Amino acid sequence: MVKVGKRNHLRQLLLWLIMIIELLLFFFVCSAEIPARKILEGGDSDPHEVCRLQTSDQKVVIDNGLVEVTMENPSGYLTGIKYKGLDNVLESRNHNHNKGYWDIVWDHGVDKIETKHVKVITRTDDLVELSFTKTWNFTADHGNSVPLNIDKRFIVRRGVPGLYMYGIFERQEEFPDAHMNHIRIAFKLKEEKFRFMALSDTRQRIMPSAGDRGYQTLAYREAMILTNPLDPQLRGEIEDKYQYSTENKDNKLHGWISDDDAVGFWIITPSDEFRIGGPHKQGLTSHPRSTALSMFVTTHYTGKDIDTTYKKGEHWKKVFGPVFIYLNSASSEDDYRKTLWNDAKRQLSEEIKSWPYNFTRSEDFPHAEQRGEVSGQLLVGERFIHKELVQAQSAFVGLAPPGDAGSWQKDGKGYQFWTQTDKKGSFHIKNVRPGEYNLYAWVHGFIGDYRLDLNVTIQPGNKINLGSLIYDPPRNGPTLWEIGIPDRTAAEFFIPEPYPTFVNSLCLDDADKYRQYGLWERYSDIYRHGDLVYTVGASNYSRDWFFAHVVRNIGNGANRPTTWQIKFNLEDVNETGHYTLQLALAAASYAEIQVRFNNPEDVRPYFTTRRIGYDNAVARHGIHGLYRLYSIDVPGNRIKKGDNTIFLTQTRHQSSYAAVMYDYIRLEGPSV
Ligand SMILES: *[C@@H]1O[C@H](CO)[C@@H](O)[C@H](O)[C@H]1NC(C)=O
Ligand SMILES: *[C@@H]1O[C@H](CO)[C@@H](O)[C@H](O)[C@H]1NC(C)=O
Ligand SMILES: *[C@@H]1O[C@H](CO)[C@@H](O)[C@H](O)[C@H]1NC(C)=O
Ligand SMILES: *[C@@H]1O[C@H](CO)[C@@H](O)[C@H](O)[C@H]1NC(C)=O
Ligand SMILES: *[C@@H]1O[C@H](CO)[C@@H](O)[C@H](O)[C@H]1NC(C)=O
């Protein structure tokens, strides 16, 4: 009996133990699920919830009670972002490699840089940082994937509704040659939900979606006209992703809103130090079909003139990002679109304040104390205009890899740090990564490029004051006449109204007029009876100088070269003196400008730019591409007392988009 009793006791103890374990398990599982349920119900989620990480063979999930982010293991594709009532803000119908991913356009197409390993870098209550890596292997990868070692980082922080992403890309010396023309992160949001796009205070609207099958592609194949959209308001609208391009300096915030949920998805870029080509380089932002892009490298608006060629023997390593993917929500009763946009702007200024981020763990991303500063003052000396030096107001000043003056706009590999001067021409460039740079600048209202003839070496903690620097812009004599404003764009010239059938209502503002589709074709209809003639003294460049020197469409897809004339009168000419024609271009695509003086029939032009440009600025609705300046020496015997004409011929006409845009033209007299 006793024995039995003892056995029974043991048995009961065991049963109790099992029950306790089950109970414990039950509580554990429940507590793990509670926050997820709260989020699903859109209830109050706890902003103080700690970060939690779950890993399995298929996926890695980070959850901070505000967002739950899922990455595929080990590819590093972002497959899920759960926020508020939305189970996934990404398009769950897409394949895993087509929801949220990095990609590189290279010699063999598009590589979505799938990784092979995942490693937990930081795992605390406050923060989880993950690293998805791949080491390029000649035997296995040659010809199949970009010769590049990859480290894609993801960070989720406690109390922060979003996700930080950055990438560390490295080419070892022995890696074979490659071009990497575009490097970006793409997000494909849930199309039924994210239909309202916001790029700026004024550029916001409902966009066509997957259901809008009724469209027709236009002459430039990436553009379409919506012939039968689901949303009748959009009928007849033009859609073309290039209409939403932005300069690097302005590309800090863009994204989408789901009207059903009053939820916003934003790409916040607090610094553009890692983007290529300097502050004016343009790139894509958000575009139809609920797509949001974070562009790091792109040859758009420069073509192959920007350096994205990587050679064997050259070691290269670069950190792209971090960028911040921010989610917000509003009550759907108030003016939630405005609330979300304003809140995203507020968040952007927070992110800028905390730049450079101090919570990243890659040693390749230096924190503030590992960076340096450069300050100084820029003055302009233009002896024919001002006797004294003038302070270069609002000038762009930047550090970029060493090169010739202006080389920064073609640099595709290094870091750049730009700022604008204040009223006194003073500048202060903060948070510069250690390295060797040149200091470059350009000044609104003056032609040419400044470069300080000194290598600026930044070491951690450096504070360098360069003192007063003097820019002496190209000039050989007093101005006889000028056309336009030296500002590196064609924005001040005549920009026609679009054809009524080719309107995008997001480009109606005066400042965005140049973004309308098909403006290049308007030249042939406005100048039906003859090419452009500009008479100095009588013409007005904002009305009489077409913004792009394009070809003439003669029907059946054929084009003809066009010759523009500048007529001017000189009371006196010094036949032995030297005049200068300053010809500044804002863009060039597959073009050549030939310059002739007074006789259009001269077999040989006096000057030719030769074949220049691949920037496609006309076709892609940019108001500029790359800047070029030609200082053309004109001996006095080329011109005459009285009436003169300069003939500018754009000779290349194989493509409808062969064109240049002028920035500014000036004739200078002999120096006195
Ligand atoms: C490179 O790939 C080949 C072929 O798949 C494999 O045999 C080799 O072990 C790999 N090398 C390294 C260093 O991973
Ligand atoms: C990191 O930066 C934040 C915001 O700029 C600041 O509040 C915090 O004190 C910094 N932390 C450390 C450890 O420096
Ligand atoms: C400046 O740096 C460039 C590129 O690193 C180098 O070629 C050049 O010799 C340097 N110039 C001086 C004066 O140190
Ligand atoms: C040139 O034309 C523009 C636009 O019509 C006008 O605003 C400007 O005043 C004109 N300039 C002169 C000097 O007439
Ligand atoms: C004409 O130009 C020449 C060469 O620059 C100069 O020597 C001469 O003084 C000029 N003549 C006049 C009348 O300005």
Side-chain angles (χ1 to χ4, degrees), residues 304-330:
K304 62 186 178 192
D305 284 326
I306 200 158
D307 180 20
T308 54
T309 305
Y310 297 78
K311 290 276 180 201
K312 190 174 172 178
E314 182 189 337
H315 175 258
W316 176 82
K317 189 185 215 181
K318 189 165 173 181
V319 178
F320 293 105
V323 295
F324 179 43
I325 309 312
Y326 177 60
L327 292 134
N328 60 4
S329 63

Short mmCIF file of all heavy atoms in Angstrom, two decimals, residues 304-330:
data_model
loop_
_atom_site.label_atom_id
_atom_site.label_comp_id
_atom_site.label_asym_id
_atom_site.label_seq_id
_atom_site.Cartn_x
_atom_site.Cartn_y
_atom_site.Cartn_z
N LYS A 304 26.19 57.55 -69.88
CA LYS A 304 27.43 56.89 -69.52
C LYS A 304 28.58 57.86 -69.24
O LYS A 304 29.69 57.42 -68.95
CB LYS A 304 27.82 55.87 -70.58
CG LYS A 304 28.07 56.44 -71.93
CD LYS A 304 28.30 55.29 -72.93
CE LYS A 304 28.52 55.84 -74.32
NZ LYS A 304 28.47 54.80 -75.35
N ASP A 305 28.32 59.17 -69.32
CA ASP A 305 29.37 60.12 -68.94
C ASP A 305 29.69 60.05 -67.45
O ASP A 305 30.75 60.47 -67.01
CB ASP A 305 28.97 61.55 -69.31
CG ASP A 305 29.12 61.81 -70.80
OD1 ASP A 305 30.06 61.24 -71.40
OD2 ASP A 305 28.31 62.56 -71.37
N ILE A 306 28.75 59.54 -66.66
CA ILE A 306 29.05 59.38 -65.24
C ILE A 306 29.76 58.04 -65.06
O ILE A 306 29.46 57.07 -65.75
CB ILE A 306 27.78 59.50 -64.36
CG1 ILE A 306 28.17 59.82 -62.92
CG2 ILE A 306 26.90 58.26 -64.43
CD1 ILE A 306 27.07 60.47 -62.12
N ASP A 307 30.72 58.05 -64.16
CA ASP A 307 31.64 56.91 -64.09
C ASP A 307 31.09 55.77 -63.23
O ASP A 307 31.19 55.80 -62.01
CB ASP A 307 32.98 57.40 -63.54
CG ASP A 307 33.99 56.27 -63.43
OD1 ASP A 307 33.80 55.24 -64.11
OD2 ASP A 307 34.95 56.42 -62.66
N THR A 308 30.54 54.76 -63.88
CA THR A 308 30.06 53.59 -63.16
C THR A 308 30.78 52.33 -63.66
O THR A 308 30.25 51.24 -63.58
CB THR A 308 28.54 53.42 -63.31
OG1 THR A 308 28.22 53.40 -64.72
CG2 THR A 308 27.77 54.56 -62.66
N THR A 309 31.97 52.54 -64.19
CA THR A 309 32.77 51.43 -64.70
C THR A 309 33.81 51.03 -63.65
O THR A 309 34.56 51.88 -63.17
CB THR A 309 33.52 51.86 -65.98
OG1 THR A 309 32.55 52.35 -66.90
CG2 THR A 309 34.28 50.70 -66.60
N TYR A 310 33.83 49.77 -63.31
CA TYR A 310 34.75 49.27 -62.29
C TYR A 310 35.73 48.33 -62.97
O TYR A 310 35.33 47.41 -63.67
CB TYR A 310 33.97 48.56 -61.18
CG TYR A 310 33.04 49.50 -60.48
CD1 TYR A 310 31.83 49.87 -61.07
CD2 TYR A 310 33.39 50.09 -59.27
CE1 TYR A 310 30.98 50.78 -60.45
CE2 TYR A 310 32.55 51.00 -58.65
CZ TYR A 310 31.35 51.34 -59.25
OH TYR A 310 30.51 52.24 -58.64
N LYS A 311 37.00 48.61 -62.73
CA LYS A 311 38.04 47.85 -63.42
C LYS A 311 38.70 46.85 -62.49
O LYS A 311 38.85 47.12 -61.29
CB LYS A 311 39.12 48.82 -63.94
CG LYS A 311 38.64 49.70 -65.07
CD LYS A 311 38.77 48.95 -66.37
CE LYS A 311 38.29 49.82 -67.54
NZ LYS A 311 37.94 48.98 -68.69
N LYS A 312 39.11 45.75 -63.07
CA LYS A 312 39.93 44.80 -62.33
C LYS A 312 41.19 45.52 -61.85
O LYS A 312 41.76 46.33 -62.58
CB LYS A 312 40.30 43.64 -63.26
CG LYS A 312 40.95 42.48 -62.55
CD LYS A 312 41.16 41.31 -63.49
CE LYS A 312 41.98 40.27 -62.77
NZ LYS A 312 42.21 39.08 -63.57
N GLY A 313 41.59 45.24 -60.63
CA GLY A 313 42.80 45.88 -60.12
C GLY A 313 42.52 47.05 -59.21
O GLY A 313 43.41 47.56 -58.53
N GLU A 314 41.25 47.49 -59.21
CA GLU A 314 40.87 48.69 -58.45
C GLU A 314 40.05 48.20 -57.24
O GLU A 314 39.03 47.56 -57.41
CB GLU A 314 40.01 49.52 -59.40
CG GLU A 314 39.49 50.83 -58.96
CD GLU A 314 38.45 51.39 -60.00
OE1 GLU A 314 38.49 51.01 -61.20
OE2 GLU A 314 37.63 52.18 -59.58
N HIS A 315 40.53 48.49 -56.03
CA HIS A 315 39.73 48.13 -54.86
C HIS A 315 38.68 49.20 -54.62
O HIS A 315 38.95 50.38 -54.76
CB HIS A 315 40.61 47.98 -53.62
CG HIS A 315 39.82 47.72 -52.38
ND1 HIS A 315 39.56 48.69 -51.44
CD2 HIS A 315 39.18 46.60 -51.94
CE1 HIS A 315 38.81 48.18 -50.48
NE2 HIS A 315 38.56 46.91 -50.76
N TRP A 316 37.48 48.79 -54.29
CA TRP A 316 36.39 49.76 -54.06
C TRP A 316 35.47 49.25 -52.97
O TRP A 316 35.14 48.07 -52.94
CB TRP A 316 35.61 49.95 -55.36
CG TRP A 316 34.40 50.86 -55.26
CD1 TRP A 316 34.41 52.22 -55.30
CD2 TRP A 316 33.04 50.47 -55.12
NE1 TRP A 316 33.11 52.69 -55.20
CE2 TRP A 316 32.26 51.64 -55.09
CE3 TRP A 316 32.38 49.23 -55.03
CZ2 TRP A 316 30.87 51.63 -54.96
CZ3 TRP A 316 31.00 49.21 -54.90
CH2 TRP A 316 30.25 50.40 -54.87
N LYS A 317 35.13 50.14 -52.08
CA LYS A 317 34.20 49.78 -51.02
C LYS A 317 33.35 51.00 -50.72
O LYS A 317 33.85 52.13 -50.67
CB LYS A 317 34.97 49.39 -49.78
CG LYS A 317 34.12 48.80 -48.68
CD LYS A 317 34.99 48.56 -47.46
CE LYS A 317 34.56 47.33 -46.71
NZ LYS A 317 35.39 47.13 -45.51
N LYS A 318 32.06 50.80 -50.56
CA LYS A 318 31.20 51.96 -50.29
C LYS A 318 29.99 51.55 -49.46
O LYS A 318 29.45 50.45 -49.62
CB LYS A 318 30.75 52.58 -51.61
CG LYS A 318 30.04 53.91 -51.41
CD LYS A 318 29.91 54.69 -52.71
CE LYS A 318 29.05 55.93 -52.48
NZ LYS A 318 28.87 56.71 -53.69
N VAL A 319 29.60 52.46 -48.60
CA VAL A 319 28.40 52.26 -47.79
C VAL A 319 27.27 53.09 -48.41
O VAL A 319 27.41 54.30 -48.58
CB VAL A 319 28.62 52.74 -46.34
CG1 VAL A 319 27.35 52.56 -45.52
CG2 VAL A 319 29.77 51.97 -45.70
N PHE A 320 26.18 52.44 -48.77
CA PHE A 320 24.99 53.13 -49.26
C PHE A 320 23.96 53.16 -48.13
O PHE A 320 23.58 52.13 -47.61
CB PHE A 320 24.40 52.41 -50.47
CG PHE A 320 25.30 52.47 -51.68
CD1 PHE A 320 26.03 51.37 -52.08
CD2 PHE A 320 25.43 53.65 -52.40
CE1 PHE A 320 26.86 51.43 -53.19
CE2 PHE A 320 26.25 53.72 -53.50
CZ PHE A 320 26.97 52.60 -53.90
N GLY A 321 23.54 54.35 -47.77
CA GLY A 321 22.60 54.51 -46.67
C GLY A 321 23.34 54.88 -45.40
O GLY A 321 24.51 55.28 -45.47
N PRO A 322 22.74 54.73 -44.23
CA PRO A 322 21.39 54.21 -44.02
C PRO A 322 20.30 55.16 -44.52
O PRO A 322 20.44 56.38 -44.46
CB PRO A 322 21.29 54.09 -42.50
CG PRO A 322 22.68 54.19 -41.98
CD PRO A 322 23.44 54.98 -42.97
N VAL A 323 19.22 54.52 -45.01
CA VAL A 323 17.98 55.24 -45.26
C VAL A 323 16.96 54.71 -44.26
O VAL A 323 17.13 53.63 -43.71
CB VAL A 323 17.48 55.07 -46.71
CG1 VAL A 323 18.45 55.69 -47.68
CG2 VAL A 323 17.25 53.60 -47.06
N PHE A 324 15.95 55.50 -44.03
CA PHE A 324 14.97 55.12 -43.02
C PHE A 324 13.61 54.91 -43.68
O PHE A 324 13.12 55.78 -44.40
CB PHE A 324 14.89 56.22 -41.96
CG PHE A 324 13.89 55.96 -40.87
CD1 PHE A 324 13.78 54.70 -40.28
CD2 PHE A 324 13.06 56.97 -40.41
CE1 PHE A 324 12.87 54.46 -39.26
CE2 PHE A 324 12.14 56.74 -39.39
CZ PHE A 324 12.04 55.48 -38.82
N ILE A 325 13.03 53.76 -43.44
CA ILE A 325 11.68 53.47 -43.93
C ILE A 325 10.74 53.74 -42.76
O ILE A 325 10.80 53.04 -41.75
CB ILE A 325 11.56 51.99 -44.37
CG1 ILE A 325 12.70 51.62 -45.31
CG2 ILE A 325 10.20 51.71 -44.97
CD1 ILE A 325 12.95 52.58 -46.42
N TYR A 326 9.94 54.75 -42.92
CA TYR A 326 9.11 55.23 -41.81
C TYR A 326 7.65 54.94 -42.07
O TYR A 326 7.15 55.13 -43.18
CB TYR A 326 9.34 56.74 -41.65
CG TYR A 326 8.51 57.41 -40.58
CD1 TYR A 326 8.61 57.01 -39.25
CD2 TYR A 326 7.64 58.45 -40.90
CE1 TYR A 326 7.86 57.63 -38.27
CE2 TYR A 326 6.89 59.08 -39.92
CZ TYR A 326 7.00 58.67 -38.60
OH TYR A 326 6.26 59.29 -37.62
N LEU A 327 6.95 54.48 -41.04
CA LEU A 327 5.51 54.23 -41.16
C LEU A 327 4.79 55.13 -40.17
O LEU A 327 5.25 55.31 -39.04
CB LEU A 327 5.22 52.76 -40.86
CG LEU A 327 5.79 51.87 -41.96
CD1 LEU A 327 6.53 50.70 -41.39
CD2 LEU A 327 4.71 51.44 -42.93
N ASN A 328 3.68 55.69 -40.61
CA ASN A 328 2.89 56.48 -39.67
C ASN A 328 1.40 56.26 -39.92
O ASN A 328 1.00 55.68 -40.94
CB ASN A 328 3.29 57.96 -39.68
CG ASN A 328 3.10 58.62 -41.03
OD1 ASN A 328 2.60 58.01 -41.97
ND2 ASN A 328 3.52 59.88 -41.14
N SER A 329 0.62 56.68 -38.96
CA SER A 329 -0.82 56.49 -39.09
C SER A 329 -1.53 57.69 -38.50
O SER A 329 -0.96 58.43 -37.70
CB SER A 329 -1.25 55.22 -38.37
OG SER A 329 -1.00 55.36 -36.99
N ALA A 330 -2.76 57.88 -38.92
CA ALA A 330 -3.56 59.00 -38.42
C ALA A 330 -4.98 58.51 -38.24
O ALA A 330 -5.34 57.45 -38.73
CB ALA A 330 -3.52 60.15 -39.42
#
